[in-house]
Amino acid sequence: MFISAIDGHKVLKDSDLPKNDAGFIKIDGTTKVEGFDYVYAIGDLSALEGPDWKAKQGHLAEAMARICAFNIALKEGIEKGEPKNYKDHIGIICLMDMGRKGAGLVYRNDKKAMFLPMPVVGHYLKKLWGMHFKLVKLKKLPKLPYINY
Ligand SMILES: Cc1cc2nc3c(=O)[nH]c(=O)nc-3n(C[C@H](O)[C@H](O)[C@H](O)COP(=O)(O)OP(=O)(O)OC[C@H]3O[C@@H](n4cnc5c(N)ncnc54)[C@H](O)[C@@H]3O)c2cc1C
């Protein structure tokens, strides 16, 4: 399924927030909305900047949420350091489930582009990941080390 990225939400379109041509909210690297001091936008409703192959993804939405919270805390003097930038987290890693036939692993960053077919086993790996992910979010399982999710 291809879902085009060329149409923003009606609520945004009707708002006076700065938008790109497609109707998504213009932000800077810190996730702050352009022209506003205390308005931030994260996830699919924001207009991402970055390489041509960038994609709106769940893991990026979560990274943007963390970055946004950190940058607000920094502004308020609660955190110390440099502002964080969501563009450092742009990348694609996706196990595309195709049902019992299997799945395909898509991986993309600045240096590498890869598609790895995973017949049969990929489908069950994706199911396992779904179960694991849900239990982690419910705080019933610990996160895997070295992976940000
Ligand atoms: C088919 C498909 C497959 C995907 N697969 C992957 C994948 O494998 N890996 C990955 O990382 N990402 C994947 N994504 C992308 C990922 O789902 C999104 O990037 C992510 O969900 C964005 O999170 P968000 O919180 O910004 O928006 P959303 O998750 O869309 O959350 C927005 C919420 O706002 C609610 N809402 C809408 N309008 C209103 C309103 N007027 N009032 C109140 N609430 C409202 C919606 O109901 C929704 O719950 C996939 C997306 C699609 C469509």
Side-chain angles (χ1 to χ4, degrees), residues 29-31 40-43 57-74 79 82-86 88-90 133 136-137 143 146-149:
T30 70
T31 73
Y40 291 76
I42 59 164
Q57 290 226 293
H59 75 84
L60 184 61
E62 291 205 335
M64 290 173 94
R66 285 193 298 273
I67 284 164
C68 173
F70 176 87
N71 289 331
I72 292 171
L74 195 64
E79 285 281 0
E82 292 297 312
K84 293 188 179 173
N85 195 312
Y86 78 85
D88 298 334
H89 295 263
I90 290 179
F133 188 83
V136 168
K137 292 295 165 189
K143 280 185 176 186
Y146 310 117
I147 306 178
N148 242 338
Y149 62 103

Side-chain angles (χ1 to χ4, degrees), residues 1 3 9 11 42-46 55-62 93-96 126:
M1 175 165 33
I3 298 178
H9 196 294
V11 170
I42 59 164
D44 280 9
L45 54 67
S46 62
K56 288 180 173 170
Q57 290 226 293
H59 75 84
L60 184 61
E62 291 205 335
I93 180 160
C94 181
L95 190 56
M96 287 196 303
K126 180 85 185 200

Side-chain angles (χ1 to χ4, degrees), residues 6-147:
I6 54 167
D7 206 7
H9 196 294
K10 187 178 179 306
V11 170
L12 305 181
K13 284 185 176 168
D14 294 345
S15 77
D16 58 0
L17 294 167
K19 289 160 291 246
N20 66 3
D21 291 344
F24 296 102
I25 306 175
K26 284 187 179 176
I27 55 171
D28 65 19
T30 70
T31 73
K32 192 175 75 60
V33 176
E34 284 181 10
F36 289 80
D37 272 345
Y38 283 94
V39 182
Y40 291 76
I42 59 164
D44 280 9
L45 54 67
S46 62
L48 293 188
E49 299 277 338
D52 286 351
W53 51 263
K54 66 188 175 295
K56 288 180 173 170
Q57 290 226 293
H59 75 84
L60 184 61
E62 291 205 335
M64 290 173 94
R66 285 193 298 273
I67 284 164
C68 173
F70 176 87
N71 289 331
I72 292 171
L74 195 64
K75 201 179 215 171
E76 295 298 311
I78 300 163
E79 285 281 0
K80 289 196 170 50
E82 292 297 312
K84 293 188 179 173
N85 195 312
Y86 78 85
K87 292 174 196 168
D88 298 334
H89 295 263
I90 290 179
I92 300 172
I93 180 160
C94 181
L95 190 56
M96 287 196 303
D97 195 357
M98 295 175 238
R100 285 184 198 144
K101 279 185 181 164
L105 180 68
V106 183
Y107 182 79
R108 185 77 157 97
N109 64 18
D110 271 344
K111 297 178 188 76
K112 212 175 187 178
M114 188 183 83
F115 178 80
L116 180 69
M118 299 175 88
V120 188
V121 70
H123 169 64
Y124 295 99
L125 278 176
K126 180 85 185 200
K127 275 186 169 291
L128 260 180
W129 171 256
M131 280 154 51
H132 168 80
F133 188 83
K134 186 175 173 184
L135 290 171
V136 168
K137 292 295 165 189
L138 293 172
K139 300 200 183 315
K140 290 183 177 168
L141 267 187
K143 280 185 176 186
L144 294 173
Y146 310 117
I147 306 178

